[in-house]
Amino acid sequence: MSVVIVDYGSGNLRSAEKAVARAAHEAGLSSAVTVTADPSRVAKADHIILPGVGAFADCMMGLSATHGMVEAILDAVTDRGVPLLGVCVGMQLMATRGLEYTVTAGLNLIPGDVKVIEPTDPALKVPHMGWNTLDVARPHPVLEGIPTGTDGAHAYFVHSYALAPADPDHLIATSEHGGSIAAIVGRDNIVGTQFHPEKSQEFGLALIANFLKWRP
């Protein structure tokens, strides 16, 4: 099984690569993990991971500037049904629009806008940074066997903006930070996490392993 992590100049690429390789090994999966800026490698992948760190507009600009990459991702995901995992801003890029500083078009794989977090409690700071549990809105294979809810496992977040899906059916799990925030979104063969699985210890490794096993 070939797993590609898309390199477009943004994201924790090496830590993501190490986490994916470890998750595959511990799950007994035979996986070749590659970090690549080559759209032809993405086009042939069995699983695609789209990372992202920083501002929405900058990340979308970097992705679009990587010649042929957007087309390779969309063709693989929409035409071949390849599973796609977006992480942090990589998840946000799957939205219709990002509203960070300016209006920027996204990939429109998960319809909705990426908006600034506005906690109802003024004592809560933005960015939302730290460890949070998840509340599941609907079951999903990437959460299989992972304890959730108040006493569940914790995931690591660091972000100031969050995706608000237009379709509530695309919301898989939420977290709290002065209000409900989309923590996992998805539909069909697409899933995205606002938190960083590669930094979320055993929770993250379990989620990555579930993603690699996923055959939607």
Side-chain angles (χ1 to χ4, degrees), residues 39-125:
S40 68
R41 301 285 295 271
V42 174
K44 299 173 184 176
D46 297 311
H47 285 71
I48 300 170
I49 298 175
L50 180 64
V53 173
F56 186 104
D58 291 342
C59 287
M60 195 66 215
M61 184 182 300
L63 186 63
S64 300
T66 306
H67 182 70
M69 187 60 78
V70 169
E71 293 80 6
I73 293 171
L74 294 179
D75 287 348
V77 172
T78 59
D79 293 345
R80 292 204 294 120
V82 175
L84 170 67
L85 171 63
V87 174
C88 196
V89 181
M91 162 190 160
Q92 295 179 5
L93 294 182
M94 300 192 298
T96 306
R97 304 185 305 172
L99 307 183
E100 187 172 358
Y101 306 121
T102 185
V103 178
T104 305
L107 300 174
N108 200 32
L109 293 170
I110 303 288
D113 289 341
V114 176
K115 305 175 182 179
V116 67
I117 301 170
E118 297 180 319
T120 55
D121 182 352
L124 292 173
K125 305 298 183 183

Side-chain angles (χ1 to χ4, degrees), residues 122-206:
L124 292 173
K125 305 298 183 183
V126 175
H128 168 215
M129 184 182 300
W131 297 86
N132 286 73
T133 56
L134 305 186
D135 294 313
V136 176
R138 65 178 177 87
H140 193 279
V142 297
L143 288 172
E144 184 177 349
I146 298 175
T148 55
T150 305
D151 298 321
H154 288 68
Y156 182 75
F157 291 80
V158 53
H159 63 119
S160 299
Y161 289 76
L163 200 166
D167 186 341
D169 287 343
H170 294 163
L171 187 63
I172 294 169
T174 61
S175 187
E176 285 293 319
H177 188 70
S180 184
I181 295 171
I184 305 178
V185 298
R187 67 172 182 86
D188 305 325
N189 54 312
I190 301 162
V191 67
T193 66
Q194 181 58 69
F195 56 89
H196 286 272
E198 77 280 8
K199 295 183 179 180
S200 297
Q201 301 177 355
E202 295 306 316
F203 181 139
L205 292 174

